[in-house]
Amino acid sequence: IDENEETESDNVNSSGHPIQGPITEEQHVFEKEFDAFLNENASLVPGGSSSLKSLREQLIFETGEKSRVELELKIQLDTIRKEKEETEALLRKEIMEVKRAKEERER
């Protein structure tokens, strides 16, 4: 876990709703601002507080899912980069061996 991230048990928004998965400071700020917006503009949401709760829960779920996907993609990218570097190093080694063998034959 990144030092700017928290564990799942620590993650609740300002309304006390749980936020799934590790979240970043940006997500904390968003949650706070989103709560403030919805509280100030409750009339925009039909159904009142139950709809607000449902919207929050859906937003939290979607945010968590997107965060998990992003983390998985970052891990995959790191793996691909490492494999690429290893392959390039092997190719450089093979090129040097072929070059040396060619130089030996030309002597």
Side-chain angles (χ1 to χ4, degrees):
I1 296 179
D2 187 89
E3 59 186 66
N4 291 331
E5 294 178 341
E6 298 176 1
T7 61
E8 289 183 34
S9 61
D10 296 332
N11 298 328
V12 291
N13 64 16
S14 61
S15 300
H17 296 94
I19 300 171
Q20 298 175 352
I23 63 169
T24 64
E25 180 62 29
E26 291 82 13
Q27 288 169 313
H28 275 297
V29 170
F30 178 81
E31 272 293 319
K32 182 179 174 184
E33 296 297 323
F34 185 69
D35 281 344
F37 173 79
L38 290 179
N39 288 330
E40 292 171 8
N41 300 287
S43 63
L44 295 177
V45 182
S49 65
S50 64
S51 291
L52 289 177
K53 181 179 179 185
S54 177
L55 281 173
R56 283 187 182 108
E57 289 171 355
Q58 184 64 29
L59 177 64
I60 289 165
F61 175 78
E62 293 296 327
T63 301
E65 286 299 306
K66 289 181 184 200
S67 294
R68 279 187 279 285
V69 168
E70 181 181 1
L71 180 61
E72 289 174 16
L73 290 173
K74 285 180 180 181
I75 291 169
Q76 289 177 7
L77 181 59
D78 289 343
T79 301
I80 290 169
R81 284 180 176 156
K82 182 178 178 184
E83 290 172 353
K84 177 185 169 237
E85 289 172 5
E86 291 170 355
T87 302
E88 287 174 346
L90 284 173
L91 289 173
R92 281 191 297 275
K93 182 179 176 183
E94 288 180 25
I95 289 170
M96 291 303 292
E97 289 173 359
V98 168
K99 186 177 178 180
R100 285 185 193 130
K102 181 181 176 185
E103 289 173 354
E104 290 289 323
R105 283 192 311 263
E106 291 176 352
R107 287 184 184 177

